[in-house]
């Protein structure tokens, strides 16, 4: 029998689901992943609201001038549809963000969370449901969430980023990446295209900001 989750289109988060099913993330990893995912999606929602504010006002003003109830409802709902669409789009990428790729346990826990809560998570973000993680992850109350977040706080080891203008060719097709910039470049490209990464082994240098080895 084919499960419901296997029928979903496999985005970047979905690539980790099969692994997460066999390597169960710890409860602390699940709680920490939920805290970070909801925080990132909440920030995205706020940014999206700001960018759509003018559009929302225009649609609301237009709705007040229209007599047809169905058209009026459509104009008012368009704003909320746009917000949910932005959240759902980010859900396909959030597990590849720097905050969640620092450890394998967090990556797996994030993938499992997205797969299990694909319908509930957008609603929770839109409703600012502070108790979502407690419901999604057994035992993930506010105190446990803080402890889990501390336990999984780490910095990626990285050389200092190249100075502006020294990190890419003139056409922008080739870039020199370091630990703190590779995620933004490679995974952002993965959403709409392809990236070829060539590894270069040079002399070791001290990490930026004193970050520890992973």
């Amino acid at each position: 029998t084919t499960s419901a989750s296997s029928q979903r289109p496999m985005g970047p988060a979905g690539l980790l689901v099969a692994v997460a099913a066999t390597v169960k993330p710890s409860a602390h990893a699940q709680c920490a992943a939920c805290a970070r995912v909801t925080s990132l999606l909440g920030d995205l929602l706020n940014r999206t609201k700001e960018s759509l504010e003018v559009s929302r006002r225009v649609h609301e003003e237009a709705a007040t001038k229209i007599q047809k109830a169905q058209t009026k409802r459509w104009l008012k709902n368009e704003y909320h549809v746009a917000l949910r669409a932005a959240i759902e789009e980010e859900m396909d990428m959030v597990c590849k963000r720097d905050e969640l790729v620092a450890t394998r346990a967090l990556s797996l826990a994030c993938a499992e969370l997205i797969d299990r809560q694909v319908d509930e998570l957008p609603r929770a973000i839109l409703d600012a449901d502070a108790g979502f993680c407690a419901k999604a992850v057994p035992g993930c109350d506010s105190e446990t969430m803080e402890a889990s977040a501390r336990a999984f706080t780490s910095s990626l080891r990285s050389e200092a980023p190249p100075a502006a203008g020294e990190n890419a060719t003139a056409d922008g097709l080739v870039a020199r990446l370091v630990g703190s910039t590779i995620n933004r470049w490679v995974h952002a490209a993965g959403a709409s295209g392809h990236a070829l990464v060539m590894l270069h082994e040079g002399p070791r240098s001290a990490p930026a900001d004193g970050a520890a080895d992973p």
Side-chain angles (χ1 to χ4, degrees):
T1 302
T2 303
S3 66
S5 62
S6 65
Q7 296 175 339
R8 291 180 55 229
M10 185 173 288
L15 297 176
L16 293 169
V17 170
V19 179
T22 56
V23 183
K24 187 72 173 178
S26 70
H28 276 301
Q30 293 179 53
C31 191
C34 188
R36 295 189 187 186
V37 167
T38 52
S39 175
L40 289 171
L41 293 179
D43 290 344
L44 170 80
L45 177 63
N46 291 334
R47 293 195 303 273
T48 305
K49 284 181 176 179
E50 290 178 4
S51 67
L52 294 177
E53 182 61 24
V54 174
S55 174
R56 181 185 67 83
R57 291 177 187 168
V58 170
H59 281 86
E60 287 185 349
E61 290 175 2
T64 60
K65 301 174 183 178
I66 293 176
Q67 300 298 321
K68 193 174 180 180
Q70 185 177 0
T71 304
K72 185 178 294 187
R73 284 196 299 271
W74 181 85
L75 285 170
K76 289 185 176 180
N77 287 338
E78 188 176 8
Y79 172 71
H80 299 287
V81 170
L83 293 180
R84 184 175 181 111
I87 293 170
E88 291 177 344
E89 182 177 349
E90 176 61 16
M91 283 170 60
D92 279 339
M93 293 299 297
V94 69
C95 293
K96 293 297 185 181
R97 301 302 179 197
D98 287 342
E99 294 87 339
L100 287 149
V101 297
T103 69
R104 184 167 180 264
L106 275 183
S107 295
L108 294 178
C110 178
E112 184 184 59
L113 175 73
I114 297 295
D115 192 58
R116 284 191 295 106
Q117 304 290 335
V118 65
D119 295 319
E120 295 82 356
L121 183 54
R123 184 72 264 164
I125 299 301
L126 289 168
D127 293 344
D129 184 0
F132 170 77
C133 288
K135 292 177 285 189
V137 181
C140 188
D141 54 27
S142 58
E143 184 176 346
T144 303
M145 193 182 297
E146 290 180 9
S148 298
R150 289 195 300 270
F152 282 91
T153 297
S154 61
S155 299
L156 293 173
R157 183 177 175 85
S158 175
E159 296 180 28
E166 297 179 3
N167 66 327
T169 57
D171 55 13
L173 296 177
V174 179
R176 177 174 177 265
L177 307 175
V178 296
S180 62
T181 60
I182 188 170
N183 201 39
R184 182 171 65 252
W185 281 73
V186 174
H187 294 307
S192 58
H194 302 280
L196 175 64
V197 179
M198 294 179 288
L199 301 181
H200 169 69
E201 184 177 353
R204 288 180 62 85
S205 59
D209 301 325
D213 284 317

